[in-house]
Amino acid sequence: MRIGGGGGGGCEKGVRRKAGLQFPVGRLHRLLRQGNYSPYIGAGAPVYLAAVLEYLCAEILELAGNAARDNKKVRITPRHLQLAIRNDEELNRLLKDVTISQGGVMPNIHEMLLPRSRKARPGPSMEL
């Protein structure tokens, strides 16, 4: 019996370290087992899931950081997350049904509402 340790084996930390991940592989493995998604969960499934989640988070945070820098802000706010996700085609398709609280809307003015230009439109030509 171990003193001061939690349950379960300690091999997950080694897997996480070997894979070079920041996301918790052991926790994801436990959640996959408890979620009743499948009767059997392979050893590589939580590692792959952790890698995918870490990549998505890094991508969103990088784009949101760029949006914050464009607005001359130091902190990333929900507005920056919204701008980052909606301006990226693939992330927008992935998160199309997601509502980000305090995210606002994308700046958009319909063409019909814009003032007409002062340039005279060329009429039909009179040349023969």
Side-chain angles (χ1 to χ4, degrees):
M1 180 174 187
R2 280 193 269 169
I3 298 174
C11 67
E12 297 298 335
K13 290 180 185 174
V15 171
R16 178 171 141 186
R17 199 172 292 128
K18 283 180 189 175
L21 297 173
Q22 299 299 315
F23 270 54
V25 175
R27 182 178 296 175
L28 289 173
H29 194 133
R30 186 196 61 194
L31 292 172
L32 285 172
R33 277 189 276 118
Q34 290 176 351
N36 289 329
Y37 300 109
S38 174
Y40 303 105
I41 303 295
V47 178
Y48 193 86
L49 181 60
V52 169
L53 290 175
E54 187 172 319
Y55 169 75
L56 284 174
C57 286
E59 188 74 20
I60 291 172
L61 285 174
E62 180 183 353
L63 294 172
N66 293 342
R69 193 174 344 112
D70 292 344
N71 291 329
K72 299 180 179 79
K73 304 287 183 191
V74 178
R75 292 192 182 111
I76 295 175
T77 64
R79 176 67 178 162
H80 301 135
L81 290 171
Q82 174 85 324
L83 291 173
I85 290 169
R86 301 303 169 210
N87 282 326
D88 188 76
E89 183 181 336
E90 293 173 343
L91 286 174
N92 188 26
R93 190 173 38 202
L94 178 68
L95 302 171
K96 66 179 179 223
D97 296 327
V98 173
T99 301
I100 298 175
S101 178
Q102 296 293 313
V105 297
M106 291 298 294
N108 184 25
I109 300 174
H110 198 276
E111 290 182 19
M112 294 298 293
L113 298 174
L114 292 173
R116 293 187 180 171
S117 61
R118 296 286 179 184
K119 297 177 186 175
R121 293 186 179 174
S125 63
M126 300 304 265
E127 297 177 20
L128 294 174

